[in-house]
Amino acid sequence: SRDLVVGLAGEPYFLLASKEGGSIEKYALRAECTHLGCLAPYRPEVAKFVCPCHGSEYDKQGKVLRGPAPRNLELASVEVLEDGRIKLSEWTGQDFRDAASDAV
């Protein structure tokens, strides 16, 4: 599941369900295409985030698969607080998606 939420500076982000069921990933994806900023919703029938404006495509982790988008979807860190609220903060680590493609 992917839920659209208001994140950093009021920007739209997707919270992503973890494979472990009942939890969420430790990262969120900014929902705006890196080409011109259109919302890029997730399309389950093709298992991708797809920008309806110019056709950019991203995989389930927000890695750009097809342009004209020049970069992956932006990341934010996700923390579940003790009271169950979810906190998004600026991503400060290395982009794990780039590291994965370097290893191939």
Side-chain angles (χ1 to χ4, degrees):
S1 143
R2 287 137 193 92
D3 292 322
L4 189 62
V5 298
V6 176
L8 306 174
E11 300 293 344
Y13 279 81
F14 287 109
L15 292 178
L16 308 169
S18 175
K19 292 177 184 174
E20 287 118 35
S23 63
I24 58 174
E25 293 288 355
K26 300 290 185 192
Y27 65 92
L29 299 173
R30 187 165 171 174
E32 295 175 330
C33 179
T34 59
H35 176 229
L36 293 176
C38 300
L39 288 182
Y42 186 76
R43 295 190 40 205
E45 69 275 12
V46 293
K48 299 176 190 173
F49 292 94
V50 179
C51 180
C53 300
H54 298 105
S56 294
E57 296 179 355
Y58 305 87
D59 71 10
K60 292 179 181 183
Q61 294 181 326
K63 183 175 177 74
V64 70
L65 299 172
R66 178 177 158 216
R71 298 177 311 284
N72 298 335
L73 293 176
E74 293 180 27
L75 297 167
S77 294
V78 174
E79 177 184 3
V80 179
L81 304 175
E82 287 184 22
D83 63 4
R85 290 183 299 149
I86 298 170
K87 177 182 175 184
L88 271 64
S89 57
E90 184 178 336
W91 185 266
T92 57
Q94 179 181 350
D95 187 332
F96 59 88
R97 300 165 299 184
D98 292 337
S101 66
D102 291 344
V104 174

